[in-house]
Amino acid sequence: MEKFKVEDWRDIDKTNKKDILYNMIRKIFLLILFLLTFISVFSQWTSPVDIWPYSMAYFQPNAAHSLVSDTLGNVHIAWYDASRDAYGCIKKTRFDGTDWIYTSSIFEDSFEGTGYYALSWMPTLSVEPDGKCLLVWEDYRTSSFELYGKYFDNMIWSSQITVTNTFDSYTWFPKLYFADERHNLVFIDDSSGYFNVYYTYFDTMFQTKVDITDTNQNCISPDLFVYPDGEKSVLFTTEFNGSQALYNVRNSGAGWSDFIKVAELSSNIYYPNIISDGADEYAIFTSELSGVSDLFISQFSKTSWSGYTILSDTRSNIYNPAGVMQNGKVRIVYVSDENQYGNLYSILYNPSTKEIEEKTLLASHEHGYITLPQIVLDSRGDIHVVYIVNDDTPISPTQTNDIWWVRLPHTKIFSTSKEKPYIASMTYKGYIISFNDEESYNVTVMDKAGRKIFEKNDVVRQLIITNKELKRNDIYFMLIENKNSKYGEKIVWLR
């Protein structure tokens, strides 16, 4: 068949022109649809996989810090296990980007004497960028709960470390977070007659424990975040007008602040979590303000919290929320009691528009109750969620709690030559740059006189330029470059 020449187009009758245009548009539409479908395949959550079907596994309740990642692409999980009779032991596994590798079991050292029943539980884990990690857990060997730990140097685990030894009080719910070149730890202890929140850190040893709430009220359900510049933020609940209200204390280097109100409602607040990317900071929690357990979010800015926004539909109860941040948005997972055994959902919340951009059902089990989801963002940009399923039809009499895993693989955002491969935004903590690809960039910041005040090479995925670098109000210029391209940014910095 002879191909049409350019000048032949005028000689085609109107009917044929319409047919040709229709077929062209149809082909273009199908091509676009194919591309969109192709992209969506790589941005979908994987199906749930049972990664630990061997025992009675448990995580801590809210904000457990049991699922963490390093910068080498690994994801680590710690949990306590009741498969040895009725008493817990501590276990750990690791995902290396391809497989889950069972690494360690029964961390607690043996103890001789009466009254010790190997009740070790509520572990928390923090991991250094290169994979070295610290594990802390509760233990009942003294007939009162104390904290013990072990450190892994990428070769062997240390001997057992005594973290607390009050002996006459209950020390509960440790939470670890690695930042500022140290393993930061909070926990609650009732040595004073009331539960208060204590802070310490581990570098080569645990330092002096400090009572950071110091009040004659019970302060419970702590969660911890530490910024790259060393500022520490701790959430907790305590009684206010007959209900558990949510408060915050902070330390920027000059000591711990007074209580900062996050939310005081006419009903109790549960499951408080801090979610932050090192620049912006949010608190999520639940409360039965409307008669069911709803999900709320609040944002911190400079010195105060913004009040709260409800994220759920008030039609079903929400339990065990947890979240991470990615590219300025908040990804939250939670359990909803829409059916008998609960559904596991993920939502993507955009703080700029205050809208939920996505809601996805991750898991629903016909014969098991879903509990205690944990979520983490790895160094590749993948999001991992693990959760416990209490199966009412176990394979063996001791097997009831399995660990299940779902993952949202990172989708590379393709950009044209005119588009920048990153998103840059100003926050009260500093300037944050989130890259859309997995390439390595060099970032340089100069003042108006052209003097270099900051430089960071081999940046992958994200960089936060903090108050330590931008020390005064001024105009700065930033150069972002790799082997293929260069980009410039102007920063007007007002603290």
Side-chain angles (χ1 to χ4, degrees):
M1 181 181 293
E2 183 181 359
K3 295 182 179 179
F4 289 114
K5 298 179 181 178
V6 174
E7 60 268 19
D8 291 335
W9 177 257
R10 299 177 183 178
D11 298 327
I12 303 173
D13 60 56
K14 293 182 178 179
T15 302
N16 286 338
K17 286 182 181 179
K18 289 181 178 178
D19 290 340
I20 292 171
L21 285 171
Y22 172 79
N23 288 328
M24 290 174 60
I25 293 171
R26 183 173 178 270
K27 289 178 180 179
I28 293 171
F29 174 77
L30 290 174
L31 178 61
I32 293 172
L33 182 62
F34 170 78
L35 289 174
L36 289 175
T37 303
F38 179 80
I39 291 171
S40 68
V41 167
F42 289 92
S43 62
Q44 291 178 347
W45 289 89
T46 61
S47 299
V49 177
D50 191 348
I51 62 171
W52 190 256
Y54 309 115
S55 60
M56 298 171 66
Y58 297 88
F59 297 134
Q60 277 201 49
N62 57 298
H65 298 209
S66 300
L67 178 69
V68 291
S69 64
D70 57 34
T71 60
L72 305 177
N74 299 304
V75 176
H76 308 256
I77 309 175
W79 71 94
Y80 66 102
D81 188 285
S83 58
R84 292 194 306 159
D85 212 354
Y87 306 107
C89 62
I90 311 302
K91 296 187 176 183
K92 180 182 176 295
T93 189
R94 172 174 61 87
F95 180 70
D96 65 358
T98 305
D99 300 304
W100 285 97
I101 303 169
Y102 181 54
T103 53
S104 307
S105 177
I106 314 177
F107 282 92
E108 66 274 22
D109 290 344
S110 60
F111 180 79
E112 301 296 332
T114 60
Y116 178 52
Y117 298 101
L119 181 54
S120 299
W121 60 358
M122 302 297 177
T124 181
L125 183 68
S126 56
V127 179
E128 298 173 27
D130 61 359
K132 298 182 179 110
C133 57
L134 178 68
L135 187 69
V136 171
W137 66 90
E138 299 176 17
D139 192 289
Y140 193 63
R141 67 180 57 190
T142 63
S143 299
S144 179
F145 281 103
E146 301 290 350
L147 300 184
Y148 295 89
K150 283 193 174 184
Y151 180 76
F152 182 64
D153 64 2
N154 271 336
M155 296 183 64
I156 60 172
W157 287 91
S158 71
S159 58
Q160 188 160 275
I161 304 167
T162 300
V163 183
T164 63
N165 55 357
T166 54
F167 298 108
D168 58 352
S169 64
Y170 287 95
T171 306
W172 284 345
F173 301 122
K175 305 290 173 61
L176 282 167
Y177 193 90
F178 183 82
D180 195 29
E181 300 182 348
R182 60 187 62 178
H183 296 266
N184 301 269
L185 174 69
V186 294
F187 57 90
I188 61 173
D189 186 288
D190 69 347
S191 299
S192 65
Y194 297 90
F195 278 109
N196 275 282
V197 182
Y198 288 76
Y199 168 82
T200 183
Y201 67 88
F202 177 89
D203 41 22
T204 58
M205 60 184 294
F206 278 100
Q207 305 301 316
T208 303
K209 290 78 179 171
V210 179
D211 184 350
I212 65 175
T213 52
D214 192 19
T215 182
N216 60 354
Q217 298 182 137
N218 288 318
C219 298
I220 59 176
S221 301
D223 193 23
L224 166 71
F225 181 81
V226 181
Y227 285 88
D229 64 4
E231 180 180 355
K232 293 167 278 290
S233 175
V234 178
L235 285 181
F236 60 93
T237 63
T238 191
E239 186 173 325
F240 175 80
N241 287 343
S243 298
Q244 287 293 315
L246 185 60
Y247 294 92
N248 177 223
V249 291
R250 313 181 74 87
N251 188 331
S252 298
W256 291 92
S257 70
D258 294 332
F259 289 12
I260 305 170
K261 180 179 69 174
V262 182
E264 295 173 349
L265 308 179
S266 58
S267 59
N268 287 335
I269 288 174
Y270 302 101
Y271 309 119
N273 281 237
I274 297 175
I275 303 175
S276 179
D277 55 7
D280 293 315
E281 181 180 347
Y282 299 88
I284 60 171
F285 56 92
T286 68
S287 182
E288 297 178 357
L289 190 62
S290 64
V292 299
S293 179
D294 282 314
L295 177 64
F296 298 84
I297 190 168
S298 179
Q299 181 176 6
F300 183 78
S301 179
K302 296 185 179 179
T303 59
S304 63
W305 291 85
S306 63
Y308 54 85
T309 300
I310 187 168
L311 299 182
S312 51
D313 56 16
T314 72
R315 292 197 296 267
S316 59
N317 291 298
I318 304 299
Y319 303 108
N320 305 125
V324 295
M325 288 193 68
Q326 187 176 35
N327 296 329
K329 298 180 182 179
V330 184
R331 171 78 63 178
I332 302 172
V333 292
Y334 60 83
V335 179
S336 170
D337 67 352
E338 293 174 341
N339 62 38
Q340 180 179 359
Y341 297 109
N343 289 333
L344 180 64
Y345 279 102
S346 163
I347 60 173
L348 184 63
Y349 176 72
N350 188 334
S352 299
T353 61
K354 300 189 182 300
E355 293 181 351
I356 296 175
E357 297 184 344
E358 172 195 319
K359 181 178 179 180
T360 306
L361 176 63
L362 300 186
S364 183
H365 293 257
E366 294 182 0
H367 301 292
Y369 294 96
I370 298 175
T371 61
L372 303 172
Q374 310 289 307
I375 186 171
V376 72
L377 176 69
D378 73 14
S379 60
R380 297 180 178 88
D382 293 0
I383 294 176
H384 302 256
V385 176
V386 295
Y387 59 97
I388 302 293
V389 169
N390 186 299
D391 195 343
D392 63 350
T393 56
I395 297 173
S396 68
T398 60
Q399 181 184 335
T400 56
N401 282 19
D402 295 351
I403 302 176
W404 289 69
W405 166 61
V406 296
R407 175 171 57 157
L408 180 64
H410 169 65
T411 301
K412 184 174 180 179
I413 301 175
F414 298 94
S415 61
T416 67
S417 59
K418 294 183 180 180
E419 293 177 331
K420 297 177 181 179
Y422 59 86
I423 299 172
S425 58
M426 184 72 70
T427 74
Y428 87 100
K429 290 295 296 183
Y431 203 79
I432 182 169
I433 311 163
S434 299
F435 293 95
N436 299 329
D437 54 35
E438 297 181 21
E439 295 184 17
S440 176
Y441 290 86
N442 298 332
V443 180
T444 305
V445 178
M446 296 163 286
D447 63 16
K448 291 181 296 186
R451 293 176 297 226
K452 184 188 299 184
I453 64 169
F454 173 82
E455 184 176 27
K456 181 74 172 179
N457 295 325
D458 300 322
V459 176
V460 179
R461 302 296 306 156
Q462 189 179 82
L463 174 67
I464 300 172
I465 304 172
T466 69
N467 297 334
K468 289 182 178 180
E469 289 78 38
L470 306 178
K471 295 180 179 180
R472 66 177 186 270
N473 295 340
D474 209 339
I475 296 175
Y476 300 93
F477 299 94
M478 179 168 59
L479 176 64
I480 301 171
E481 57 185 331
N482 63 9
K483 59 184 179 181
N484 299 318
S485 56
K486 293 183 179 181
Y487 304 91
E489 293 284 337
K490 179 180 178 181
I491 304 175
V492 180
W493 178 239
L494 299 174
R495 297 181 64 175

